[in-house]
Amino acid sequence: MMEKTLIIIKPDAFQRGIVGSILARFEHKGLKIVGMKMLKMSPELAKEHYAHLLDKPFYPGLEKFMTSAPLLALVAEGQEAVEVVRKIVGVTNARKAEAGTIRGDFSMSTGRNAIHASDSRETAEKELPRFFKPEELFDYPLNNWESIYAEDEKE
Ligand code: IDP
Ligand code: MG
């Protein structure tokens, strides 16, 4: 089942200079990056994106953090992409996240956990249009080296 899912690389990753290292994990896995956008989250967008957390005591801190520095919003496409991406990301509390996951390898925090990813296909369908217009998504073939060399031969 081909799916698209939303990934957000959070402000702490920009501040710590680990954005590229995180992005590379998705490329290496074989997911296709079909959308990519740097933006700053507004308080309004934070309230919409984290509507399920508005009544939590940590929400004000979460909004302050998410609006403090740029984000990188990504759309990754692939078979079972939603579940695959959540597995690569790891659990919310980065101290409990498995080694080998992004949170497990790059963070020691629950709040400043480097990355967001849609938690289900239904959530992905709601979150994608929140950050990307249809014309901001790209379709292109994922090549391996064999197919790239085959194209070279023709030129
Ligand atoms: P998720 O990002 O793993 O899907 P959610 O429960 O949807 O986790 O929470 C969204 C974000 O809110 C988390 O990634 C984290 O940044 C922040 N958050 C969640 N729980 C806590 C908490 O207990 N303390 C501080 N921040 C939290
Ligand atoms: Mg969530």
Side-chain angles (χ1 to χ4, degrees), residues 20-87:
S21 304
I22 292 173
L23 175 57
R25 300 249 171 147
F26 298 110
E27 290 191 307
H28 293 171
K29 178 66 174 170
L31 288 152
K32 186 153 98 177
I33 304 300
V34 298
M36 183 169 336
K37 187 192 281 188
M38 190 167 164
L39 69 136
K40 203 157 178 232
M41 190 174 260
S42 65
E44 295 70 35
L45 186 58
K47 286 184 184 75
E48 189 187 337
H49 189 65
Y50 287 126
H52 61 299
L53 299 174
L54 279 177
D55 58 351
K56 300 280 189 213
F58 60 81
Y59 179 79
L62 176 61
E63 181 180 305
K64 193 167 173 220
F65 162 59
M66 289 298 290
T67 57
S68 65
L71 312 169
L72 183 66
L74 301 166
V75 181
E77 184 182 82
Q79 282 192 351
E80 298 173 59
V82 176
E83 192 185 333
V84 168
V85 167
R86 284 290 287 198
K87 200 169 246 178

Side-chain angles (χ1 to χ4, degrees), residues 77-128:
E77 184 182 82
Q79 282 192 351
E80 298 173 59
V82 176
E83 192 185 333
V84 168
V85 167
R86 284 290 287 198
K87 200 169 246 178
I88 294 172
V89 164
V91 298
T92 310
N93 179 347
R95 292 189 298 283
K96 303 268 189 277
E98 294 284 339
T101 65
I102 290 169
R103 286 168 171 168
D105 289 354
F106 288 105
S107 173
M108 280 288 284
S109 168
T110 303
R112 287 158 175 72
N113 56 9
I115 187 154
H116 164 84
S118 305
D119 63 9
S120 67
R121 286 176 59 198
E122 295 72 48
T123 309
E125 277 163 25
K126 282 192 209 130
E127 290 184 342
L128 282 177

